[in-house]
Amino acid sequence: MKIVGIETSCDETAVAVYDAELGLLAHALHSQVDIHADYGGVVPELASRDHVRKLLPLLKSVLVEADLTIGDVDAIAYTAGPGLIGALLVGACVGRSLAWALGVPAMAVHHMEGHLLAPLLEDDPPAFPFVALLVSGGHTQLVEVNGVGQYRLLGDTLDDAIGEAFDKTAKLLGLSYPGGPALEALAIDGDPERFQFPRPMTDRPGLDFSFSGLKTFAVNTLKSNTNDDQTRADIARAFQDAVIDTFGIKCKRALKETGLNRLIVAGGVSANQALRLYLEDVAEDNNARAYFPRPEFCTDNAAMIAFAGYQRLRAGKSSSPAIKVQPRWSLDTLTAPVGK
Ligand code: KG4
Ligand code: ZN
């Protein structure tokens, strides 16, 4: 079975082909960063229009790379939510129409399920069950994962998602959008001793997060110090250290509470090298092992969508032929595919 994955939930147009026997055959991505950079964030209407322009040419080039023709495709998987409604509709319309024209099934995929299953695309993938830390531009969640579609939410953010907190703090430090990778680069030159940021919500039980206070702390720190290169780097370092430490504390708690010994970390922020190294140590110190997607599959991509769609389709799951997207869609409303 060869399944095409389509991702258009935000500011990246991506297409991939996954083969049930051979694994990933090809994947490609067109980033809209240049389009949105001037605005300091994603402009939804510009995102939708660019997906319209780029999706079909990208699909054609991915099929060529995989040495396939459109007639070889056995199924389509597309991101149906959560995300920007106009952007999602582009992928859903193309995915559904293509499937109808080819007479093959199409599967509506939950974007965060895609992120969550992305580490399974790597060699030596984690077995179920595991604890998942999902850290992206819109989500910050700890989830107990017992199988595909078997998700128990352990903790969530009460305010900003962590990617959002990275992006807002980066903007404050004068870095360009998207701020996460830029802030990570700036933090390398930062002095870890100069500023101490709080570790939000670690002084009470539970697995929820709150990151908006860290951004405020960064604002106040910048105001009360000379705004120069070193100060900005020191703030970036203090912010990142606080985030990483907070995740370490909560992941340790989640492993303890669930009694599990595998931790997967996925979503755009899991591309952060400092976070990866730290959580690897945290897992090891707690007799567990940490798993991550390769960096290019941490951020949005279509390989994870093709793979998640395949996991559902092979278990006989189908989704309604209606072109329907869900800008808001909670992960724990998903159910296990039939037969699982
Ligand atoms: O998963 P993703 O690509 O899109 C969403 O589903 O939201 O995540 C994007 C987020 C952005 O906020 C971006 O700044 C952040 O991931 N990000 C990072 C890094 N790379 C991407 N944050 C911190 N460090 C990074 N290296
Ligand atoms: Zn994402």
Side-chain angles (χ1 to χ4, degrees):
M1 179 192 247
K2 292 175 181 57
I3 178 160
V4 163
I6 295 175
E7 160 62 38
T8 64
S9 67
C10 190
D11 59 347
E12 256 116 19
T13 317
V15 178
V17 190
Y18 182 82
D19 182 296
E21 267 114 54
L22 304 172
L24 196 60
L25 297 184
H27 62 97
L29 180 142
H30 166 75
S31 167
Q32 300 180 352
V33 163
D34 292 347
I35 294 175
H36 304 293
D38 287 349
Y39 303 91
V42 180
V43 183
E45 182 58 22
L46 296 182
S48 312
R49 289 184 203 183
D50 201 55
H51 287 310
V52 170
R53 272 192 294 270
K54 296 292 169 16
L55 184 51
L56 287 176
L58 205 61
L59 172 63
K60 281 184 189 157
S61 71
V62 166
L63 288 175
V64 168
E65 194 191 326
D67 205 13
L68 299 174
T69 63
I70 193 72
D72 297 322
V73 173
D74 300 302
I76 313 276
Y78 60 92
T79 304
L84 303 171
I85 188 161
L88 289 167
L89 275 169
V90 178
C93 288
V94 169
R96 281 265 152 229
S97 312
L98 207 57
W100 182 80
L102 296 172
V104 301
M107 178 57 63
V109 172
H110 191 294
H111 181 81
M112 295 313 291
E113 181 172 61
H115 276 305
L116 192 153
L117 297 176
L120 275 65
L121 280 163
E122 302 304 323
D123 295 337
D124 192 16
F128 297 112
F130 51 72
V131 169
L133 173 68
L134 299 179
V135 280
S136 72
H139 291 78
T140 314
Q141 296 180 326
L142 273 163
V143 186
E144 181 184 314
V145 179
N146 288 301
V148 174
Q150 298 175 50
Y151 308 129
R152 186 168 73 91
L153 193 61
L154 302 171
D156 208 339
T157 179
L158 304 182
D159 41 58
D160 290 355
I162 186 58
E164 205 180 339
F166 262 98
D167 293 342
K168 285 178 178 172
T169 306
K171 202 171 184 175
L172 169 81
L173 298 174
L175 302 170
S176 58
Y177 165 85
L183 192 148
E184 179 179 18
L186 183 64
I188 292 170
D189 302 323
D191 173 2
E193 306 297 330
R194 181 154 168 219
F195 303 120
Q196 278 298 310
F197 279 33
R199 275 56 176 155
M201 297 188 68
T202 54
D203 58 350
R204 66 198 86 166
L207 295 168
D208 285 335
F209 304 98
S210 165
F211 291 109
S212 65
L214 280 185
K215 183 198 60 200
T216 311
F217 210 86
V219 171
N220 293 337
T221 309
L222 192 62
K223 268 190 199 152
S224 48
N225 288 275
T226 316
N227 187 344
D228 57 20
D229 287 353
Q230 192 57 52
T231 297
R232 287 193 293 273
D234 295 344
I235 290 175
R237 178 64 191 257
F239 170 86
Q240 184 173 273
D241 282 357
V243 167
I244 288 174
D245 204 24
T246 302
F247 281 139
I249 293 166
K250 296 284 166 118
C251 286
K252 180 178 167 181
R253 254 185 223 173
L255 289 169
K256 224 177 200 157
E257 276 184 25
T258 57
L260 297 176
N261 61 5
R262 284 178 288 267
L263 170 71
I264 74 109
V265 189
V269 180
S270 67
N272 187 291
Q273 278 303 320
L275 177 69
R276 291 166 85 99
L277 290 174
Y278 190 72
L279 290 182
E280 222 156 49
D281 285 349
V282 167
E284 205 177 299
D285 292 348
N286 289 278
N287 301 315
R289 187 175 153 194
Y291 297 82
F292 308 86
R294 71 194 80 166
E296 67 178 323
F297 292 166
C298 288
T299 43
D300 290 349
N301 66 88
M304 68 183 194
I305 303 303
F307 183 71
Y310 165 65
Q311 295 299 327
R312 292 188 160 267
L313 279 162
R314 74 168 184 163
K317 189 95 177 160
S318 61
S319 52
S320 144
I323 295 176
K324 183 176 166 231
V325 296
Q326 298 192 69
R328 294 175 74 84
W329 187 3
S330 170
L331 187 67
D332 57 0
T333 61
L334 294 182
T335 52
V338 179
K340 285 254 141 180

